[in-house]
Amino acid sequence: MKKYILLWCLAAFILGVSSLRAQTGVAPFLPSADDTRCRQWVDSVFSGMSLDEKIGQLVVATVPARADKATKKQIRELVKKYKVGGLLFSEGTAEEQAILTNFAQKSSKIPVMVTFDGEWGLSMRLKGTPNYPRNAALGCIGDNSLIEEYGREVARQFRELGVHVNFAPDADVNTNPLNPVIHVRSFGENPQKVAAKVVAYSRGLESGGILSVCKHFPGHGDTDVDSHKGLPVLHYDRARLDSVELYPFKEMVRAGLGGVMVGHLQVQAFDPADSIPSSLSHNVVTGLLKEELGFKGLVFTDALDMKGVSDVPQVTTKALLAGNDMALVQFNTRNAVQELADAVASGQLSRNELDAKCRKVLMYKYMLGLRRAQPKLQVSGMSYRINTEEAQALAAKLRRSAVTVLSNYFNVLPLASPEGNIAVLSMGDKEADAPFVQAMEKNAGISHFYLPWGADEAAKQEVLQQLGTYRRVVISITGATYVGDADVAFLEGLNLPAPVVYTFFTSYRPLMSLTPAIAKSSAVVLAHSDEADLQQHVADVLFAKAPADGKMSMSIGRLFPAGTGCTIEPGMTPGKLIPEDYGLKSYVLQRIDGVAQKGLAAGAYPGCRILVLKDGQPIYDRGFGTHSDKDTTAVRSTDLFDLASLTKTTATLLAVMKLYDEGKIKLDDKISKYLPFLRNGNKKNLTIRELLFHESGLPPYIRFYVDIIDPNSVHGPYSQSWMDEWHRTRVSEHSYYCTDFKFKKGMISDKNTSTYTLHMADGMWLNKSFKNSILQSIARCELDRKRYVYSDLGFVLLQQMVEEIVKLPMDLYLAKEFYAPMGLQRTMFLPLTKFTKAEIMPTAANDYLRRQDLCGYVHDETAACLGGVSGNAGLFSTAEEVAKVYQMLLNGGEFNGKRFLSEATCRLFTTEKSAISRRGLGFDKPDVPGSKSNPCAASAPASVYGHTGFTGTCAWVDPDNGFVYVFLSNRLCPNVWNTKLGDMNITTDIQELIYKSCIEK
């Protein structure tokens, strides 16, 4: 008994030294020339070894962990006859492995290195041991200290069982979703994140006294052949291998970790001429791993009976000659040992090389505590000591930490608990998700349904009919590695009026085949496995009674890229507005994000804001991007945008409608009735209706600003199609404006005075007389025939009419009659009188007329020359407040219980349409289907009305479906010639998604 106590103390001392080496930053399992005691021990053992013993030390043989007579006989033969240096135990129990380990160590002259293939701990091979998550699940955990803690716990269990080496972790970067053998064994598809997990887990193992062995060098993650069944081929060039496959191995070498396993792969970048497996390649093992990467640790082959190499003659010899230190021989140790003896005898494997490898193995045995006879393992109570409460608690913690919420559209999670309104459909093995269903029942009143995989059509239709009556549907997936086409089609075709939430108590792999179905869901939760405690946890996650913050380690097709993950925090409240509650599909509306992000990526705008109201409720309200390429402030709901021509219907038309409502004007009134300066010219018979329809014959625009420029200061034409030293300001794809012109004397001042009152930009005030010049220019301009020509000039005249009638500037009149009583605090002309530039989206950079960046000043030159208040442009607002204006119109002139316009007036102005164009009374409307000039989506009904703006804005109202859609951007910033917003059909694509989201009734 005293002998055993002494041996236990020695073992504890050895392990303590290993732990101390780790804590002090010294790599615990790398050879050191300064370790005199190690060298002396190796010399003493080596000097007494026979040739057979030296050969045997290089072999790791595999045996089952079954403590029967046959296995003991096999072990006795392995250690006494073939004198193997290591044993690898496979399937069995912990107690049986302990018995066999004791037997092997007692039978061997030189202590045996006990190895284990435990990528997810002992449970990978032994029954009744702690079950830890697969690496693909662990890759979803953000806290790598938890991964290192896991490594330490596995090391404790291994030490308890007398194991010295773990053939783990898997360091492969799984970039091939069709990989038949790696998949869940990998930490993920991101090389950097995989490397971080590999290093963390390995440090945990080695700090606990267990040698980590990273595999399968040089990288098995992007293969479509299982090396157990054939030889996978990597066709990539060196640059790709360095950045992906080799990256985790470089990091583990840099971290000073002790072991590598070389996989059976054919890597053409290193052996282009021959189909040499990497495990037998000198270029790979010695040239790349040892020499180039500088790895000094112990190198193992993968199992040499695998089909990738098993047919190669003299495979064991070739493996050692390639640079491997130990050969993993699973079942044919006799042949392997004999082969090596023949190779030494023939000189193929030199004595010097044999001796060097043997010494290296002995050094590792010394470092692993095998320099003395091993203490006898206590078999009784082994499972108890392995399955501690701490071990089980860690397993549960890892499982919970890996739970990943891949999507949570419109915050459908957490679920509210309206009794009787939640249905749970279990699909898979019967009762497999019973803990989940029971936990759901505790959280809310639910109705439970069940379908096995492959259920008949009648059963499916019966369940489908019943699910259609619930407000929320949760579908629980269990027991599937592959889902049949019929089941995929069933789930894809559910088309329920309720949002669908999927919970997967499986690995990530079934999600691949179910992508068509989960693409139509509102939320997806991946648990990675189906333990009872985990199922209960996921149920709590759905109600925000437990947290989840995993990030996907693997991509699920294009639907959920690696890194995807939503956070659920305890106490979160359910989303206030779920689209399905308003007859819309969340998963379709969510695609608006992709359209907006695509525009950002393409440079269509630096920032935008999108708002969709349904029946007056904001079902989609999000901002994207930043204020500009220079100002990285994220777009906020309170940011003001230059509405450009959206001013026409958000400002000027409201005033016109108000005057019509009050009987102060009629649509067929001549505009000259209110504007005397038009009575004596060709404009005297223009009617208000013609101006609203853009059928007055007025030209689209007049470049009034040219009249404030001194023509003698312009070199050549004011604009031309090429750049030269005088024309450097680009305003379109093939147009450059003069940059060094001067203004006419008396037109511009850098100060506000009684003469200079029209504020155009910072330090730029225009003579107030120029307003009259603009109006006279309109009065004198030529008229075309009465046809549809979109014109800003008509709305300039309508503004003048409004001001003449109400005897107020139009901005003050609108604030008094509409904006203030509607509670609109951020809708106004001249926004810099109230707000700072930090609250306003920049509009353009280096404006050609004002020769400065514009923010808070109207971009439109006509409106600028009118001092920022014009009938065609000049209004600034937020998406929310613009939507309120159009919701008021959709409400028939009423908002928040107050009437602003009569229903009759709203109906007239929003429904009347020109007989010769798509235009309405001031409003724009959809064009005929298929027209390239259609400003609306193809699915927009004819009843839609609204307007667009040059700066990248639009607002559309759909009275048939109760929609208000607002899109605001600053597409002209920084380049005014940017046309990508229209070229990419961004606003119409978003509008089309709104219509596609409508649930068929």
Side-chain angles (χ1 to χ4, degrees):
M1 183 66 182
K2 290 182 179 178
K3 176 182 177 182
Y4 290 140
I5 293 174
L6 178 59
L7 289 173
W8 277 110
C9 291
L10 285 171
F13 171 77
I14 292 165
L15 292 172
V17 170
S18 295
S19 178
L20 178 61
R21 287 160 65 89
Q23 293 172 20
T24 55
V26 178
F29 294 124
L30 288 180
S32 172
D34 298 330
D35 195 336
T36 304
R37 290 185 178 180
C38 176
R39 188 171 61 252
Q40 290 173 346
W41 182 84
V42 170
D43 289 343
S44 67
V45 174
F46 183 80
S47 63
M49 293 177 68
S50 65
L51 177 62
D52 288 345
E53 287 174 326
K54 293 176 182 178
I55 290 172
Q57 287 301 301
L58 311 187
V59 174
V60 178
T62 303
V63 291
R66 293 194 298 268
D68 52 24
K69 290 182 179 180
T71 305
K72 288 184 177 180
K73 180 181 178 181
Q74 182 184 359
I75 290 175
R76 185 183 297 109
E77 185 178 45
L78 289 171
V79 299
K80 286 191 172 294
K81 183 176 180 179
Y82 301 116
K83 309 181 189 308
V84 295
L87 289 176
L88 171 63
F89 286 104
S90 57
E91 71 280 354
T93 66
E95 285 80 6
E96 289 180 295
Q97 179 166 324
I99 291 170
L100 295 176
T101 299
N102 285 336
F103 181 77
Q105 298 295 15
K106 182 179 180 180
S107 303
S108 180
K109 174 184 174 183
I110 301 172
V112 176
M113 180 188 292
V114 179
T115 68
F116 197 88
D117 190 13
E119 293 176 24
W120 47 90
L122 294 173
S123 65
M124 183 169 176
R125 303 297 177 189
L126 302 181
K127 299 176 183 177
T129 53
N131 185 28
Y132 291 102
R134 307 301 183 257
N135 283 355
L138 298 177
C140 300
I141 298 174
D143 183 4
N144 286 337
S145 67
L146 190 56
I147 306 302
E148 187 168 346
E149 180 184 349
Y150 164 50
R152 286 194 298 271
E153 172 55 29
V154 170
R156 182 197 69 79
Q157 296 172 24
F158 277 33
R159 292 198 316 271
E160 191 71 50
L161 196 52
V163 176
H164 310 102
V165 177
N166 189 8
F167 292 142
D170 189 306
D172 299 314
V173 181
N174 193 78
T175 54
N176 187 344
L178 300 178
N179 195 312
V181 65
I182 301 302
H183 46 85
V184 298
R185 300 164 63 192
S186 167
F187 283 117
E189 65 181 59
N190 180 291
Q192 290 72 31
K193 292 182 179 179
V194 169
K197 294 285 190 301
V198 164
V199 170
Y201 177 74
S202 299
R203 279 178 172 160
L205 284 176
E206 297 200 358
S207 67
I210 301 298
L211 177 66
S212 69
V213 180
C214 298
K215 60 186 184 186
H216 306 84
F217 186 83
H220 205 324
D222 193 0
T223 60
D224 54 10
V225 174
D226 183 349
S227 52
H228 293 86
K229 301 176 181 179
L231 183 63
V233 180
L234 287 179
H235 300 280
Y236 296 113
D237 61 19
R238 180 60 193 271
R240 150 66 193 241
L241 294 171
D242 278 332
S243 62
V244 180
E245 280 77 10
L246 291 173
Y247 187 86
F249 293 100
K250 291 179 179 180
E251 291 301 302
M252 64 79 56
V253 172
R254 186 176 291 113
L257 299 170
V260 165
M261 177 178 282
V262 183
H264 306 315
L265 314 158
Q266 205 278 305
V267 189
Q268 294 182 340
F270 301 112
D271 293 292
D274 304 306
S275 297
I276 302 176
S278 50
S279 54
L280 309 182
S281 168
H282 189 273
N283 291 341
V284 171
V285 183
T286 298
L288 176 62
L289 178 60
K290 291 186 172 183
E291 295 176 354
E292 184 177 336
L293 300 188
F295 181 63
K296 305 301 181 185
L298 201 60
V299 183
F300 297 83
T301 69
D302 205 344
L304 294 180
D305 71 329
M306 294 165 64
K307 286 296 183 181
V309 295
S310 60
D311 294 335
V312 177
Q314 293 186 298
V315 63
T316 312
T317 302
K318 290 178 179 177
L320 295 182
L321 289 174
N324 293 286
D325 300 310
M326 298 190 80
L328 178 53
V329 180
Q330 285 200 286
F331 303 117
N332 209 334
T333 305
R334 181 177 67 82
N335 287 353
V337 170
Q338 185 59 54
E339 177 199 315
L340 291 177
D342 293 343
V344 173
S346 68
Q348 184 181 8
L349 179 62
S350 70
R351 285 293 189 106
N352 288 340
E353 191 160 2
L354 173 66
D355 290 352
K357 290 183 183 296
C358 180
R359 284 181 172 275
K360 187 173 182 180
V361 172
L362 292 175
M363 289 177 66
Y364 269 85
K365 287 194 171 185
Y366 179 90
M367 287 187 284
L368 290 166
L370 292 167
R371 53 187 176 271
R372 291 182 175 84
Q374 293 298 282
K376 185 177 181 180
L377 300 175
Q378 183 179 345
V379 177
S380 63
M382 177 62 72
S383 290
Y384 176 79
R385 295 193 300 278
I386 289 175
N387 287 287
T388 63
E389 289 184 6
E390 292 77 11
Q392 297 297 343
L394 177 60
K397 184 177 182 181
L398 289 167
R399 288 193 289 268
R400 292 193 302 270
S401 299
V403 170
T404 307
V405 180
L406 285 83
S407 60
N408 184 24
Y409 302 151
F410 299 91
N411 291 329
V412 68
L413 299 180
L415 297 173
S417 52
E419 189 169 343
N421 277 325
I422 299 177
V424 175
L425 169 61
S426 300
M427 294 198 69
D429 299 335
K430 195 170 182 63
E431 301 294 328
D433 64 348
F436 172 70
V437 174
Q438 292 166 7
M440 290 291 289
E441 289 171 340
K442 291 180 180 178
N443 281 309
I446 69 164
S447 297
H448 182 232
F449 303 90
Y450 168 72
L451 283 174
W453 295 121
D456 61 58
E457 193 62 27
K460 289 178 180 176
Q461 290 305 313
E462 181 181 352
V463 168
L464 178 58
Q465 185 175 4
Q466 294 180 77
L467 292 179
T469 63
Y470 292 87
R471 291 188 62 228
R472 304 289 184 266
V473 175
V474 178
I475 300 178
S476 166
I477 304 294
T478 59
T481 53
Y482 172 77
V483 181
D485 292 345
D487 289 317
V488 173
F490 168 70
L491 291 173
E492 181 185 4
L494 287 177
N495 199 29
L496 296 170
V500 175
V501 177
Y502 280 92
T503 58
F504 282 83
F505 298 105
T506 68
S507 76
Y508 74 95
R509 303 196 79 200
L511 277 75
M512 307 292 286
S513 57
L514 277 170
T515 295
I518 61 177
K520 294 183 175 182
S521 68
S522 294
V524 178
V525 181
L526 176 61
H528 302 282
S529 58
D530 64 355
E531 290 83 357
D533 65 297
L534 182 60
Q535 292 191 31
Q536 294 164 3
H537 174 76
V538 169
D540 286 342
V541 167
L542 296 190
F543 290 90
K545 294 181 179 180
D549 62 359
K551 300 291 184 289
M552 275 304 292
S553 59
M554 310 283 188
S555 293
I556 307 300
R558 296 183 178 180
L559 184 61
F560 299 122
T564 298
C566 308
T567 299
I568 300 293
E569 297 178 348
M572 279 177 59
T573 56
K576 294 180 179 179
L577 295 166
I578 305 301
E580 280 78 2
D581 294 338
Y582 293 85
L584 306 175
K585 299 172 184 174
S586 298
Y587 70 88
V588 178
L589 284 178
Q590 183 66 27
R591 295 175 192 165
I592 294 174
D593 285 18
V595 178
Q597 294 287 4
K598 186 177 180 181
L600 275 180
Y605 38 74
C608 70
R609 192 86 199 174
I610 306 167
L611 176 60
V612 180
L613 303 183
K614 167 66 171 166
D615 299 334
Q617 298 298 321
I619 56 168
Y620 186 100
D621 183 10
R622 295 177 188 173
F624 299 87
T626 61
H627 277 213
S628 72
D629 57 340
K630 298 176 182 177
D631 182 354
T632 58
T633 302
V635 176
R636 300 161 297 202
S637 61
T638 55
D639 287 330
L640 284 79
F641 289 77
D642 181 346
L643 300 187
S645 284
L646 193 53
T647 298
K648 291 181 174 71
T649 52
T650 318
T652 311
L653 188 58
L654 293 183
V656 172
M657 292 172 71
K658 186 71 172 176
L659 295 179
Y660 175 86
D661 207 29
E662 294 173 343
K664 295 179 180 178
I665 62 170
K666 294 182 176 137
L667 293 180
D668 292 320
D669 283 350
K670 296 175 181 178
I671 191 73
S672 60
K673 174 181 177 181
Y674 307 100
L675 301 178
F677 67 90
L678 297 179
R679 291 173 186 169
N680 296 322
N682 57 1
K683 316 295 185 309
K684 65 181 179 179
N685 292 322
L686 298 184
T687 67
I688 295 172
R689 187 188 302 273
E690 290 172 338
L691 295 176
L692 292 173
F693 276 150
H694 297 274
E695 295 172 4
S696 65
L698 286 168
Y701 58 87
I702 297 174
R703 292 178 176 171
F704 304 108
Y705 59 85
V706 174
D707 291 337
I708 66 175
I709 295 173
D710 181 357
N712 296 321
S713 68
V714 178
H715 295 271
Y718 183 63
S719 66
Q720 61 186 35
S721 60
W722 68 93
M723 180 187 293
D724 60 23
E725 61 180 303
W726 299 289
H727 300 79
R728 294 186 174 279
T729 302
R730 184 179 178 185
V731 295
S732 67
E733 186 175 2
H734 301 295
S735 187
Y736 296 85
Y737 275 33
C738 181
T739 51
D740 62 350
F741 64 84
K742 295 180 181 178
F743 293 108
K744 289 179 181 178
K745 187 175 182 180
M747 295 305 301
I748 297 294
S749 171
D750 60 358
K751 295 179 181 178
N752 178 19
T753 69
S754 59
T755 300
Y756 299 96
T757 60
L758 303 176
H759 199 183
M760 296 182 70
D762 286 342
M764 186 174 180
W765 300 79
L766 179 62
N767 193 308
K768 63 183 180 181
S769 65
F770 196 69
K771 177 178 178 180
N772 186 59
S773 298
I774 290 175
L775 299 180
Q776 290 304 317
S777 293
I778 295 175
R780 293 191 303 266
C781 75
E782 295 293 326
L783 274 183
D784 197 354
R785 60 187 175 86
K786 298 295 179 71
R787 61 189 180 94
Y788 168 57
V789 175
Y790 179 78
S791 174
D792 284 339
L793 305 183
F795 273 76
V796 173
L797 294 179
L798 289 170
Q799 172 205 0
Q800 305 308 310
M801 178 195 74
V802 169
E803 293 182 345
E804 183 65 29
I805 294 172
V806 302
K807 305 304 180 184
L808 277 175
M810 189 175 72
D811 58 329
L812 298 182
Y813 176 70
L814 287 165
K816 172 176 172 287
E817 295 293 333
F818 291 95
Y819 304 151
M822 289 179 68
L824 308 185
Q825 301 295 316
R826 306 178 82 83
T827 301
M828 63 185 301
F829 294 85
L830 308 174
L832 290 173
T833 59
K834 184 177 180 181
F835 302 102
T836 66
K837 289 186 178 183
E839 299 172 272
I840 305 171
M841 297 290 289
T843 304
N846 192 26
D847 176 68
Y848 65 89
L849 176 64
R850 285 158 281 186
R851 293 179 285 198
Q852 61 181 262
D853 296 346
L854 297 181
C855 180
Y857 297 100
V858 62
H859 171 263
D860 182 84
E861 296 83 4
T862 297
C865 290
L866 287 169
V869 180
S870 178
N872 71 304
L875 190 67
F876 286 72
S877 187
T878 67
E880 179 184 358
E881 295 197 355
V882 169
K884 288 180 177 179
V885 170
Y886 290 88
Q887 185 63 46
M888 179 269 292
L889 294 172
L890 179 58
N891 293 346
E894 188 177 37
F895 187 77
N896 283 345
K898 181 171 182 175
R899 180 158 294 283
F900 294 88
L901 296 166
S902 71
E903 287 189 41
T905 294
C906 288
R907 187 182 312 111
L908 171 67
F909 276 79
T910 60
T911 60
E912 185 162 331
K913 184 175 178 292
S914 168
I916 62 172
S917 79
R918 70 171 192 254
R919 288 280 170 174
L921 287 172
F923 293 107
D924 202 356
K925 285 180 165 289
D927 211 334
V928 294
S931 170
K932 292 183 178 180
S933 62
N934 191 355
C936 295
S939 297
S943 61
V944 166
Y945 58 90
H947 214 280
T948 60
F950 185 73
T951 52
T953 63
C954 70
W956 297 104
V957 179
D958 179 351
D960 291 357
N961 295 288
F963 287 131
V964 173
Y965 160 45
V966 178
F967 179 96
L968 304 182
S969 76
N970 56 340
R971 72 170 183 92
L972 305 181
C973 181
N975 301 320
V976 294
W977 62 89
N978 183 359
T979 61
K980 293 177 181 177
L981 179 68
D983 297 342
M984 297 173 67
N985 301 315
I986 289 172
T987 59
T988 53
D989 284 353
I990 291 172
Q991 191 176 31
E992 186 66 26
L993 286 173
I994 296 170
Y995 287 109
K996 285 184 177 180
S997 75
C998 295
I999 296 174
E1000 296 178 7
K1001 297 180 180 178

